[in-house]
Amino acid sequence: MIEWNQFSGSATEYPNLHTQNFCDYYNTIKQAGVTQAQIMEILFPFSLRDKAKLWIISLNRAAMGITNW
């Protein structure tokens, strides 16, 4: 389902709406021993394509101090 509603980063898309839809979906997923933040971090890149996918791939999370969702 996440891949059916991908965000590309185009000017005609709404990033806040995409994020809300993503959160609505990921909140339905539960896995024993896995936090919701871990699920979100794993699934979010699958909700992106085109410019948005390239952006997230280009992030140097360690250098930027990003340690969680």
Side-chain angles (χ1 to χ4, degrees):
M1 282 192 117
I2 288 175
E3 291 179 322
W4 293 345
N5 296 304
Q6 290 180 319
F7 179 77
S8 70
S10 77
T12 59
E13 293 178 298
Y14 301 98
N16 292 340
L17 179 60
H18 172 75
T19 303
Q20 182 60 53
N21 288 339
F22 174 78
C23 289
D24 291 345
Y25 177 73
Y26 101 86
N27 279 320
T28 68
I29 300 171
K30 308 287 185 225
Q31 177 68 39
V34 181
T35 68
Q36 287 303 103
Q38 289 170 320
I39 292 170
M40 183 183 275
E41 186 174 355
I42 291 166
L43 292 180
F44 189 69
F46 291 101
S47 77
L48 305 175
R49 69 176 201 272
D50 304 332
K51 291 189 307 185
K53 185 76 165 198
L54 291 173
W55 167 78
I56 203 161
I57 289 169
S58 73
L59 293 179
N60 184 339
R61 296 169 48 98
M64 296 175 73
I66 300 171
T67 58
N68 61 39
W69 172 253

